[in-house]
Amino acid sequence: DVIDLVRTNDTDGDGNLSWGEFAHMLRWSDDLHKARDAATVASGFLTISPVDPEQVMLVPRGEEAIKQTWLRLEEEALRQAEEELQEYREVERERARELEREEEAQDRAAGRGPNPEIREGLARYDFTTQKLPKNVATHGFVDYRPQPDGSHALYVGPKSHLTVKLPSLFGPNGGGC
């Protein structure tokens, strides 16, 4: 319909409606349209056949194909989103490993050993470094607070706790530690 509108009113044939062509189109009346339609039919260029609307049955074609296409596109979008999420997670894991390596290098440069120190029969966690040891999760309010001697101690607030993940070499119950 819009294409026919442009073609009908584009008198210079450039594919666009100029302001003059647009203004001319707006000045048209139904009588002018009817006269043009009658002239077109009279010219024999266009034939008009009477159609009974009650007899016309329009059946949509390709509805199942359209549904399948939409499903395929949705599945593809979900798959792509999952792939991007996996890539993002891998980048984040690599960033965390890199940050951990950098922190370990800084600790060694500062003369600090690994925290926690893990070896056969020993798991030593140092909570005085103002940095939580690896594999320690906090729940609630946890803060390092200065002590009178200049050191720092870990404060765990009421209704708060720490979860310390012991290495597998200690067994399921911590190996009696």
Side-chain angles (χ1 to χ4, degrees):
D1 291 343
V2 174
I3 293 171
D4 289 339
L5 179 78
V6 172
R7 284 183 184 154
T8 303
N9 294 289
D10 183 20
T11 55
D12 60 5
D14 67 352
N16 296 306
L17 287 182
S18 66
W19 175 252
E21 292 166 337
F22 179 73
H24 184 262
M25 176 189 73
L26 292 178
R27 285 193 298 266
W28 278 13
S29 67
D30 286 340
D31 294 335
L32 185 56
H33 285 296
K34 287 178 186 175
R36 275 200 166 177
D37 288 346
T40 304
V41 171
S43 71
F45 180 72
L46 179 67
T47 57
I48 296 181
S49 304
V51 176
D52 180 11
E54 298 295 326
Q55 300 297 321
V56 175
M57 178 69 168
L58 297 176
V59 179
R61 293 187 184 176
E63 189 172 343
E64 189 60 34
I66 291 172
K67 284 181 183 177
Q68 292 301 321
T69 300
W70 276 111
L71 284 173
R72 182 180 51 76
L73 290 173
E74 287 174 358
E75 289 171 358
E76 187 176 315
L78 285 173
R79 182 189 53 75
Q80 184 176 1
E82 183 63 31
E83 286 176 3
E84 289 173 359
L85 182 60
Q86 290 299 328
E87 289 175 19
Y88 174 78
R89 287 179 177 159
E90 182 55 38
V91 166
E92 287 299 310
R93 283 191 290 270
E94 181 56 36
R95 285 181 184 163
R97 287 189 292 266
E98 185 178 325
L99 181 60
E100 188 174 311
R101 287 189 297 270
E102 288 176 6
E103 287 177 350
E104 285 177 5
Q106 289 173 355
D107 287 346
R108 298 311 162 271
R112 292 187 294 263
N115 191 14
E117 178 185 349
I118 309 278
R119 58 178 187 251
E120 186 66 37
L122 173 73
R124 180 176 296 147
Y125 290 80
D126 185 358
F127 292 96
T128 63
T129 62
Q130 299 185 49
K131 184 172 103 178
L132 284 175
K134 291 181 197 172
N135 299 321
V136 174
T138 63
H139 306 279
F141 180 75
V142 177
D143 186 28
Y144 277 97
R145 294 193 174 168
Q147 300 299 302
D149 65 358
S151 66
H152 287 78
L154 183 65
Y155 171 79
V156 180
K159 298 184 181 180
S160 302
H161 65 277
L162 297 174
T163 304
V164 177
K165 181 179 176 184
L166 291 175
S168 61
L169 63 100
F170 286 98
N173 68 354
C177 293

